[in-house]
Amino acid sequence: MTAAMADKKIILTEEQTDAIEFDHDKPAIVSAAAGSGKTTLLVDRVVRLLSDASKNISADSLAIMTFTRNATRSMREKLNKMLTKKLRELASSTDENDKETYDYLKKQIFLLRQASISTIDAFCLRMIKENAEAFDLPLNFTIADNARKATLQSQALKAALEELYSDSFSNAERDALFFTFSFENDENLGKAVLSIADKLSCYPEPEKWMEEALDVYKDMNSLEANFSGLLDDSLEFCVSRLKYSVAKYSDENVLEGLRREVADKRAELKGKKNASLDTMEDTVIPGLKKYIEAEENRAAMAEKDFKAYKSSRSIKSLSELTANLENNTKKLPDRYPNHGKTYENKKLITKIANEVKDAVDALLEFKIDFDEEQRELGFTRNALETFFKLLNIYRENYRLEKRNAGCLDFSDCTQELYGKLSENGGDNDFRRQLSKRFSCVIVDEFQDCNKIQSSVFELLGE
């Protein structure tokens, strides 16, 4: 069901009907491929909810969120169009029930003008503006545009970096920060601060996120528990890629191809002696066979080491996998011993060898030294603590810069609303009031929500 088909009579599937008719007072997610008609289905669901007087859902109690202004405008137009079409169909009916439905629907269309159909940012901003005093904000606060935001961020960052070189930070802290993360200069450090601060604005509890990040470096067990499992799919892909690349030597029959090439040239020479062909038979082909066997053994050992890693998911087993791969690579024999003249199959062999090399290089990207990681663990944690200390100074500076300028940015709106709705330190009366105000919270393209946006919707839906 596509948007272009919205005005036509559509036969819904069982799953689509279930989604449209699902209880409005229970949480639900519709998951389907792009272009399969999720938004059109959502519009149909809203129309049915608003048309059913028994559900008693007032159109102005809806909160419908989209990700772009165009999507918002399109959503409102589609709802109006479908409701108006339904109204026209009822207008000519003489049935008393239809007349009641007509009056009810007419009122709903009027109330729909007041419904909160907007982007997520605009919704959060509207809730704050309507309750500015509850958020301890001036009534005339503004949203900083990109230019103003960049200026305020620059001022906040400059002050934070100045503090980095003051007595607020020790020499040991500065050394840990620069040597561990290899920041070449303050510009790169500043970019990292701005980038992480921006990412933190997507989390409901940034401080908790930073605490958890530090806990990762508490000891080797924590490091392994948090990182090793994340590598499974990538490592498995690289090992499979190596195995597949090496198998091409056999699949492409490169040795047999060389033997045929030598035999064909022997036939052309009609028994005449040829030193190059002798070299091919006596040295090149046996040497290449030995090389391919070594490649196959290397791939087999990498697969075996990966299984060992997967069963333990330890940094030590990962270290052994890459160390063995590196050692076996060094032991590879010469691929073309005394090969003499160029032969036809060399291009194919070189192509396969290069593919194998690329697969090995991809695996060696995971190279890690267990003993070194253990030695560096405490230093890394200290560096991270220092970075977060600087990051929090910047975040507080930026907050004050915005307050003094009487403005917020859109991420602040989501953070402010979440803070007020939150069960930990929030305003219970405000949360109940807002939750009661909206009978339905509907989000189009929910998969694009970040964590704090999802948390706001969950709190509103309580």
Side-chain angles (χ1 to χ4, degrees):
M1 184 173 67
T2 64
M5 299 164 62
D7 291 333
K8 298 179 182 179
K9 185 67 178 176
I10 298 168
I11 300 175
L12 299 172
T13 65
E14 185 179 343
E15 290 84 0
Q16 288 170 332
T17 302
D18 289 343
I20 290 171
E21 296 179 352
F22 192 82
D23 291 347
H24 74 280
D25 55 353
K26 294 179 182 178
I29 292 178
V30 175
S31 177
S36 59
K38 295 188 295 295
T39 302
T40 303
L41 184 146
L42 186 153
V43 170
D44 201 347
R45 173 173 168 78
V46 173
V47 168
R48 293 195 187 198
L49 289 174
L50 295 183
S51 303
D52 189 346
S54 67
K55 296 190 184 300
N56 195 30
I57 297 173
S58 179
D60 62 351
S61 70
L62 294 178
I64 303 176
M65 256 74 78
T66 66
F67 272 83
T68 67
R69 292 179 183 176
N70 286 339
T72 295
R73 185 164 50 252
S74 175
M75 177 73 70
R76 195 177 286 277
E77 287 172 355
K78 286 176 182 177
L79 287 171
N80 270 312
K81 188 175 182 179
M82 289 185 72
L83 287 168
T84 302
K85 180 184 176 184
K86 208 172 182 70
L87 195 67
R88 283 198 303 267
E89 291 170 355
L90 292 167
S92 58
S93 176
T94 57
D95 186 285
E96 285 299 319
N97 289 333
D98 284 347
K99 286 182 179 180
E100 287 181 13
T101 304
Y102 176 86
D103 292 338
Y104 179 76
L105 205 55
K106 192 174 180 181
K107 181 182 177 184
Q108 290 285 58
I109 292 173
F110 173 76
L111 292 173
L112 188 63
R113 298 176 186 175
Q114 302 167 51
S116 181
I117 304 174
S118 64
T119 62
I120 298 172
D121 288 338
F123 172 81
C124 294
L125 176 58
R126 179 181 175 185
M127 294 304 102
I128 291 173
K129 281 195 169 183
E130 289 179 0
N131 303 274
E133 291 184 3
F135 288 89
D136 191 27
L137 290 167
L139 295 174
N140 62 342
F141 80 89
T142 60
I143 294 296
D145 59 25
N146 289 337
R148 194 177 191 193
K149 179 179 175 180
T151 299
L152 296 176
Q153 287 177 328
S154 178
Q155 292 169 351
L157 181 61
K158 181 182 177 184
L161 290 174
E162 286 176 356
E163 190 162 348
L164 173 64
Y165 293 101
S166 72
D167 293 340
S168 298
F169 289 79
S170 67
N171 287 332
E173 286 177 314
R174 284 189 288 270
D175 288 346
L177 184 62
F178 282 98
F179 292 132
T180 302
F181 296 131
S182 303
F183 292 120
E184 296 178 0
N185 49 49
D186 288 348
E187 183 181 356
N188 290 339
L189 174 59
K191 286 178 180 178
V193 168
L194 291 175
S195 175
I196 300 300
D198 184 57
K199 287 179 173 61
L200 282 180
S201 68
C202 298
Y203 286 86
E205 300 174 41
E207 288 73 19
K208 183 180 178 182
W209 183 90
M210 286 185 276
E211 288 173 10
E212 291 174 350
L214 282 171
D215 282 345
V216 169
Y217 295 94
K218 182 171 61 177
D219 51 42
M220 289 301 287
N221 289 335
S222 297
L223 192 65
E224 288 174 348
N226 281 276
F227 281 124
S228 297
L230 299 175
L231 303 177
D232 285 5
D233 290 343
S234 299
L235 274 171
E236 187 166 15
F237 173 79
C238 289
V239 170
S240 298
R241 179 185 170 189
L242 174 60
K243 186 178 176 183
Y244 171 78
S245 300
V246 170
K248 284 188 176 182
Y249 286 118
S250 174
D251 295 341
E252 299 288 349
N253 294 314
V254 294
L255 290 173
E256 186 58 33
L258 281 177
R259 292 188 183 105
R260 282 198 305 271
E261 186 179 335
V262 171
D264 289 345
K265 288 183 178 179
R266 290 278 193 206
E268 289 174 11
L269 293 171
K270 298 178 179 180
K272 290 182 181 178
K273 286 281 187 181
N274 185 284
S276 292
L277 294 179
D278 290 343
T279 300
M280 289 281 286
E281 284 184 321
D282 299 338
T283 307
V284 174
I285 293 176
L288 185 60
K289 183 174 183 289
K290 187 178 178 182
Y291 176 84
I292 292 172
E293 287 172 350
E295 288 274 47
E296 290 170 341
N297 290 335
R298 179 172 64 165
M301 181 167 281
E303 187 175 25
K304 180 183 175 183
D305 287 343
F306 172 70
K307 288 177 180 176
Y309 160 79
K310 201 168 181 180
S311 65
S312 66
R313 284 192 173 88
S314 69
I315 292 176
K316 193 163 190 176
S317 61
L318 177 59
S319 175
E320 288 171 356
L321 187 158
T322 54
N324 288 339
L325 184 65
E326 208 166 35
N327 288 334
N328 288 332
T329 300
K330 292 175 183 176
K331 294 176 183 176
L332 282 178
D334 188 358
R335 192 189 315 149
Y336 304 119
N338 303 316
H339 57 78
K341 66 179 288 186
T342 301
Y343 43 90
E344 293 174 10
N345 275 272
K346 184 176 179 182
K347 285 185 179 179
L348 173 61
I349 295 166
T350 301
K351 181 175 180 291
I352 295 172
N354 287 338
E355 287 181 17
V356 172
K357 181 181 181 303
D358 289 342
V360 170
D361 289 344
L363 258 177
L364 290 177
E365 289 289 326
F366 296 94
K367 182 179 177 180
I368 190 168
D369 187 313
F370 177 83
D371 294 331
E372 185 178 346
E373 286 296 321
Q374 200 163 29
R375 285 193 301 271
E376 294 292 327
L377 191 65
F379 203 62
T380 301
R381 182 183 170 89
N382 292 339
L384 197 58
E385 284 179 334
T386 304
F387 181 81
F388 285 158
K389 179 179 174 180
L390 177 65
L391 178 64
N392 283 328
I393 290 171
Y394 161 76
R395 291 173 66 225
E396 178 61 13
N397 289 350
Y398 184 42
R399 186 188 71 81
L400 291 175
E401 290 282 355
K402 287 181 288 187
R403 287 281 173 161
N404 292 337
C407 66
L408 299 175
D409 61 32
F410 276 119
S411 64
D412 293 325
C413 295
T414 315
Q415 285 280 358
E416 290 280 354
L417 184 56
Y418 171 79
K420 190 62 71 174
L421 293 172
S422 174
E423 295 176 347
N424 299 320
D427 186 329
N428 291 334
D429 291 337
F430 178 79
R431 183 173 66 254
R432 281 192 290 269
Q433 171 194 336
L434 216 57
S435 182
K436 188 177 178 181
R437 172 178 170 180
F438 298 109
S439 57
C440 288
V441 178
I442 300 170
V443 184
D444 195 16
E445 305 294 350
F446 181 77
Q447 75 277 3
D448 293 330
C449 292
N450 60 38
K451 290 191 175 183
I452 191 168
Q453 290 168 340
S454 299
S455 299
V456 166
F457 302 143
E458 288 172 13
L459 291 165
L460 284 175
E462 288 183 353

